[in-house]
Structure formats: C-alpha cells, structure tokens
Amino acid sequence: MHKQQNILIIGAGLCGSLLALRLGQRGYNVTVYEMRPDLRKTDISAGRSINLAFSDRGNKAMKLVGIEDKVKSLCIPMNGRMLHDREGNTFLSNYSGRDHEYINSISRGELNGLLLTEAEKHDNVTIHFNKKCKSVDFEKTTALFQDYETKDEFIEDADTIIATDGAGSALRKSYYLGKKFLFSFSQDYLTHGYKELSILPTETGDYKTYKNALHIWPRGDFMVIALPNLDGSFTVTLFLSYDEGEYNFNNLTTPERVTEFFQKEFPDALELMPNLVEDFFENPTAPLGTVKCSPWHYKGNTLLMGDSAHAIVPFYGQGMNASFEDVVEFDAVLDKHDGDWETIFSEYEKTRKKDTDAIADLAIDNFHEMKDHVGQALFQEKRKIEMALEKEFPDDYASKYSLVTFNEHIGYREAMLRGRAQDKAILNMLADGIISTATPIKTILDKVKSETEAILEDDRIAGLH
Ligand SMILES: Cc1cc2nc3c(=O)[nH]c(=O)nc-3n(C[C@H](O)[C@H](O)[C@H](O)COP(=O)(O)OP(=O)(O)OC[C@H]3O[C@@H](n4cnc5c(N)ncnc54)[C@H](O)[C@@H]3O)c2cc1C
Ligand SMILES: NC(=O)C1=CN([C@@H]2O[C@H](COP(=O)(O)OP(=O)(O)OC[C@H]3O[C@@H](n4cnc5c(N)ncnc54)[C@H](OP(=O)(O)O)[C@@H]3O)[C@@H](O)[C@H]2O)C=CC1
Ligand SMILES: Nc1ccccc1C(=O)C[C@H](N)C(=O)O
C-alpha cells in the first residue's frame, strides 16, 4: 500500500536525481522540482564546479542503481597527485600503494544528465524544471514553488518531502525561520574563495599536461589544482584568500596583475593557459563553507539530504560522494522500516550524521594538507612509508586517505579516527627517529600498528570517541 505514496523531492542535482532514480526503482510515486533549466538541454555549468573527483563511496551508489558501467565510461582515472613546484619541477605521488585504488575525474553535467535520464525511465518519476521552491510548510507537508518562466506561484502537497536542494536549501531555511522546534545550525565560511579557469586541449585535441593525475600547485597559503576532462582540456581551480596576502581576490583586479601573479607563482601553469586573463575575468569567484545542522527531519514529514544537510568544503573531493552514499544509507534504512517515515528519517539521521560531521572536518584538514603539507619533507616521508606499507601489506594496512576514499565498508567517522591515529603514530615516530624510510618495512608495520592502537586507546580513555 505504501508504494502508492507520493514523495516530493526538491532539487534535481546530483543527490536529488540519484534519489529519484532509487525511489522510482522502489516503486514510489516521485515528483521532483528543480529551479534550474534541464541541464541536458541548456549549458548552465558556469559558476559551479565543472568536474569532480568521483570515488568508491559514490560508486557504491552507482552499483546500487545498476549504472556502474555507464558511469565508468564518463570517468578519467587519476592515479595520484602531480605536484608542481615554483621552478616547474613535477613529482607524482600515488593515492594508494594498491594499483586498483584511484580516484576519477567526472563531468558534473554528464553525470547529473545520466542520473536524470535513468530516473525518467521510470513512469512513476516526473521531473519539473525551472520551478524554484520558496518555502516548505513542514507541518502540513506542502511546498511553495515559483515558476521561473510564468512567475506563477503554486503549492504542492505530498506524503513526504525530501529536500536535496544543495547548500542554500529552502527547507533548511524554513526549519530555521519557522522556529517550531529547536533547530541547530552552523555555517562556517573559509576566508578563501575559488575561481575556475581552464587549460584547453592542444590543436590536435591532446592533453597539454599529464592526463591521469590530479595536478596541484601548492603554495602554502593558496593553491591551484587541475582535473582532466574527456575533451582533452583540464578544469583548473584557483583557491585564494579574498583579502589576505600580497595577492588576493580583492586586489587581482587588472589583467597585468593577474598575469604577474601567475608568472611569479605558477609559471609552468601560465604557459599552458594563454586564455588565463579571459577566464579570470569572465568566471565568478565563489565562497566555500561548511554547513552543519540538526535535526535533519521534522517528524515523518520532511528530510534534508546531501549538501542541504551537510555542505562541506571540496578539498577531500567527497561532497558528492558523501551525498551519493547518503542515498545508499537511506535505502538500507528503507529496507528495514519501509512505510514508517518517522522511524526511517530518525534512524537514518542517527546513523548518518556522525559520518557526515567527520568528512566535514576531514575536508578542512585536507585543505591544509593540499596547499601546504604536500610540499614539506616530513609529509613526503610519511607518504612514502604509507605507500610502501600498502604495497607490501595490501590486506593489512590502509592509510587515512585510503580509508576515507577507497574503503567503502567503513564509515567516515571510523576512517577519521583510525586514520588520524595512524598519522600521529607515523609522524611521531619519524620525528623521534624511531623509524625512517630505511627501517625494514615489516618492523615499520608492527610499530605503526601497536602505536596506533595505543593512541586509539588513549583517545578512548580521554573520551574522544
Ligand atoms: C568547487 C567545488 C568542487 C567540488 N568538487 C567535488 C569533488 O571533486 N568531489 C565530490 O565528491 N564533491 C565535490 N564537490 C561537492 C559537490 O559539488 C556537492 O557535494 C554535491 O553537488 C552535492 O549534491 P546535492 O545534490 O546535495 O547538491 P547540488 O548538486 O548543489 O544540487 C542541488 C540542486 O538543487 C537545486 N536547487 C537549489 N535550490 C533550489 C530551490 N529552492 N528549488 C528547487 N531547486 C533548487 C539546484 O539548482 C541543484 O540542481 C565540490 C563542490 C564545490 C563547490
Ligand atoms: N560547500 C561549499 O563550499 C559550496 C559552495 N558552493 C558554491 O557557492 C556558489 C553558489 O551556489 P548555489 O547557492 O548552489 O547557487 P547557484 O549559483 O547554483 O544558483 C543560484 C542563482 O541562480 C539563479 N537561478 C537558478 N535557477 C534559475 C533559473 N531557472 N532561471 C533564472 N535564474 C536562475 C538564482 O536566482 P534567484 O535567487 O534570483 O532566483 C540564483 O541567483 C556556487 O559558486 C557554488 O559552487 C555551492 C555549494 C557548496
Ligand atoms: N576534487 C577536489 C576539488 C577541490 C579540491 C580538492 C579536490 C580533490 O579531489 C583532492 C584529492 N582528493 C586529493 O586529496 O588530492
């Protein structure tokens, strides 16, 4: 009987379109309202990240809905970080010592389009575009929309409403403004923003630099990264403070100054970017932040999912992957309590929130790692040891990066606790001269394992977990 229930999804981005597909497969009547035009028909990529790092947790969701192979054809493997120093030297650092573990570059538009098309194959799924949600009455389970074309406003009624409307969620605003229950909410902006630029393909359509890596130009307080696209181009992102340091977004106001900045800090990238100035002044500068809130649901009426519940800074390349994993976790709870929305929503939030809080914190850590630590000798020594451990003992050791990115069977929180303890163990022992890259690898494994367990035990006693 419950299958005839009407589910309203707000937002047909990455999470909403996947959720619509999954709920469609489960037989619900699903209606989706998206404020933007249909991205399969109009180019609306400007201002949003053009490509994304897609990894195992996201792929777990693609397996669930049976489109793993279709998604694979959109992926470009990135085996490691290609670091570029100021002198133009490059250095490749693999993501894992296990060859089958790598991340992928994927186009947001292509992936979102595929998910929409797959969702629409189900007669019980309808997607409406150009309709913006203005507010949600979570007590009545209704939502108010405005049509972008006609400007008409209308109200939609549903048995339950799930908002996947991103970092600026209308449902979240309604929770906050409604003041009907105790709603905790925090939004922390970084002092850095980002701007997307590009490295275009050569005249023959080839990649101008190494294809199968995530390129990083770490400069301590700021950085540039580049991810490959299928057409031979790279999407380049500059992460820079709005107002601090010699060069910042507020004072990069002329073509001469932008060129001078790149000439000084990223000369090898500049050589690949004759279009730099044009891109710089055409593309927006956008902010970056973390949103945490609770509760995500109101009774069995409404639920926040994806970025609307937990927007995170992009530095671990996990926001989309986490939002996809949300759908997998939600699906598992549906298996247990199908039909009882209040129990489903509250159990889902209880099991999921600790993990999305963890990836939010890990993503901030990775900001400092990428822009700064990757260029430091101690960090590089630690990575060398981790690579050797993963290569020699593939079933026995996984670094923090691997636990977070490639180990889809444990949650982000467990990955964070174990990963941080391992980092601390290796860094302490390197600093104290207890281990070095010359120590036999089996000795390192034994020492790292016992020191990690000791740190985890101390943390437990201190009540940290
Ligand atoms: C610069 C940058 C780089 C990133 N890189 C990565 C990466 O490499 N890997 C990764 O995993 N994640 C990455 N992310 C994070 C990723 O983009 C998000 O986590 C992901 O898009 C979340 O999906 P979502 O569906 O919850 O939200 P969104 O994808 O933002 O979708 C929300 C949808 O709702 C619609 N909408 C919004 N408001 C309304 C409304 N009021 N009414 C109707 N519709 C509405 C929007 O138009 C949109 O289609 C990055 C983010 C940024 C900013
Ligand atoms: N964790 C993080 O750090 C995150 C950062 N971001 C970044 O923040 C920035 C803002 O992103 P976001 O909040 O998602 O907003 P968007 O930039 O995606 O879109 C909002 C704007 O688009 C307009 N708009 C939407 N649909 C239509 C339509 N059909 N017709 C006409 N206009 C339309 C809206 O106008 P109006 O309001 O007038 O209707 C509004 O000005 C982005 O650059 C994004 O990358 C985003 C997500 C997470
Ligand atoms: N997609 C991104 C977007 C912005 C910043 C970083 C990423 C990453 O994916 C970083 C990668 N996980 C890394 O640790 O090297």
Side-chain angles (χ1 to χ4, degrees):
M1 186 193 79
H2 57 264
K3 296 291 184 191
Q4 268 108 56
Q5 283 195 327
N6 297 313
I7 303 182
L8 175 61
I9 296 178
I10 305 170
L14 293 168
C15 186
S17 53
L18 172 68
L19 181 68
L21 168 56
R22 185 59 192 152
L23 295 180
Q25 289 176 335
R26 291 188 77 111
Y28 292 102
N29 290 328
V30 181
T31 310
V32 189
Y33 284 96
E34 163 60 44
M35 76 173 177
R36 291 172 164 242
D38 187 342
L39 51 71
R40 293 164 297 180
K41 299 175 186 156
T42 331
D43 178 16
I44 51 167
S45 56
R48 330 213 59 227
S49 65
I50 288 163
N51 55 19
L52 304 132
F54 171 76
S55 50
D56 293 37
R57 291 175 196 273
N59 197 44
K60 184 169 57 174
M62 301 305 113
K63 284 186 208 156
L64 175 72
V65 295
I67 60 168
E68 191 188 6
D69 289 344
K70 288 182 183 168
V71 173
K72 205 175 171 124
S73 68
L74 302 174
C75 286
I76 302 175
M78 298 185 289
N79 296 306
R81 295 170 175 165
M82 175 76 83
L83 303 176
H84 298 247
D85 70 14
R86 276 195 184 81
E87 285 69 47
N89 303 309
T90 57
F91 167 71
L92 183 66
S93 166
N94 279 347
Y95 281 120
S96 166
R98 288 170 285 266
D99 291 343
H100 64 277
E101 291 181 344
Y102 50 83
I103 62 175
N104 301 278
S105 180
I106 195 164
S107 149
R108 180 189 291 272
E110 292 292 331
L111 179 58
N112 206 154
L114 171 66
L115 290 167
L116 291 170
T117 300
E118 293 295 321
E120 280 180 337
K121 284 182 183 168
H122 297 269
D123 292 341
N124 48 332
V125 176
T126 315
I127 307 175
H128 303 276
F129 295 93
N130 287 310
K131 314 266 185 293
K132 177 178 179 158
C133 178
K134 299 193 78 177
S135 61
V136 179
D137 187 328
F138 46 85
E139 288 181 309
K140 291 191 185 140
T141 325
T142 59
L144 172 67
F145 290 92
Q146 180 167 39
D147 190 311
Y148 264 110
E149 287 151 336
T150 62
K151 307 284 171 221
D152 289 345
E153 290 193 357
F154 59 96
I155 289 175
E156 278 290 301
D157 200 346
D159 294 310
T160 195
I161 298 177
I162 304 180
T164 48
D165 52 349
S169 170
L171 173 60
R172 206 182 60 230
K173 262 178 225 148
S174 296
Y175 280 170
Y176 181 73
L177 296 173
K179 298 196 190 321
K180 296 275 168 57
F181 58 94
L182 295 176
F183 181 64
S184 302
F185 167 60
S186 69
Q187 177 166 297
D188 293 296
Y189 283 111
L190 292 184
T191 50
H192 285 57
Y194 75 96
K195 188 185 282 288
E196 288 194 316
L197 306 163
S198 59
I199 295 174
L200 298 176
T202 63
E203 274 173 20
T204 51
D206 292 327
Y207 293 89
K208 277 193 190 157
T209 182
Y210 182 61
K211 174 184 173 187
N212 293 110
L214 189 152
H215 293 260
I216 312 179
W217 287 258
R219 293 298 179 263
D221 288 332
F222 49 87
M223 69 171 170
V224 157
I225 66 166
L227 276 73
N229 296 310
L230 287 170
D231 67 359
S233 68
F234 289 81
T235 300
V236 177
T237 313
L238 167 64
F239 295 96
L240 180 69
S241 172
Y242 276 98
D243 54 8
E244 284 166 14
E246 186 186 351
Y247 297 96
N248 57 55
F249 277 123
N250 288 350
N251 69 23
L252 287 177
T253 50
T254 62
E256 294 72 27
R257 205 164 150 75
V258 170
T259 309
E260 176 192 299
F261 174 49
F262 270 71
Q263 187 67 62
K264 190 169 162 198
E265 298 290 347
F266 314 108
D268 61 332
L270 179 62
E271 268 178 38
L272 309 176
M273 300 167 72
N275 46 314
L276 167 70
V277 165
E278 209 178 307
D279 281 351
F280 195 95
F281 291 104
E282 264 178 21
N283 295 343
T285 306
L288 294 163
T290 305
V291 171
K292 288 183 182 172
C293 65
S294 75
W296 289 346
H297 70 107
Y298 180 75
K299 298 186 176 163
N301 298 5
T302 53
L303 174 71
L304 298 165
M305 198 184 278
D307 270 18
S308 70
H310 47 71
I312 63 177
V313 294
F315 302 104
Y316 229 111
Q318 285 295 322
M320 160 188 65
N321 289 290
S323 301
F324 284 168
E325 195 179 51
D326 282 0
V327 176
V328 178
E329 297 280 309
F330 185 69
D331 189 67
V333 183
L334 271 180
D335 282 342
K336 287 205 275 177
H337 306 289
D338 207 351
D340 177 0
W341 291 113
E342 183 154 11
T343 305
I344 292 165
F345 290 175
S346 96
E347 185 167 325
Y348 163 72
E349 179 171 348
K350 194 155 176 271
T351 54
R352 188 66 182 145
K353 187 164 161 54
K354 61 177 183 349
D355 288 320
T356 57
D357 282 350
I359 190 59
D361 297 348
L362 284 163
I364 297 280
D365 293 351
N366 219 42
F367 177 40
H368 303 294
E369 177 168 320
M370 286 183 77
K371 70 179 172 46
D372 194 9
H373 305 168
V374 289
Q376 296 172 4
L378 186 62
F379 177 85
Q380 287 170 2
E381 218 174 337
K382 174 175 87 75
R383 276 313 275 168
K384 252 187 219 147
I385 285 174
E386 289 178 325
M387 286 304 106
L389 287 172
E390 291 190 336
K391 217 172 207 45
E392 292 297 322
F393 310 104
D395 300 326
D396 241 4
Y397 190 82
S399 69
K400 181 177 77 182
Y401 195 85
S402 293
L403 290 169
V404 170
T405 310
F406 306 121
N407 204 322
E408 61 184 63
H409 304 295
I410 64 168
Y412 285 122
R413 183 173 156 78
E414 195 182 334
M416 177 181 76
L417 296 174
R418 175 157 293 278
R420 282 183 175 170
Q422 284 175 178
D423 278 357
K424 200 167 161 184
I426 298 176
L427 288 170
N428 284 350
M429 288 194 289
L430 278 172
D432 296 346
I434 297 170
I435 56 168
S436 75
T437 44
T439 309
I441 194 68
K442 179 71 172 78
T443 309
I444 296 184
L445 178 72
D446 294 341
K447 284 187 185 299
V448 170
K449 280 192 148 188
S450 66
E451 185 61 17
T452 300
E453 288 313 318
I455 293 170
L456 284 169
E457 185 54 25
D458 284 351
D459 286 353
R460 245 173 251 129
I461 291 165
L464 296 177
H465 54 94

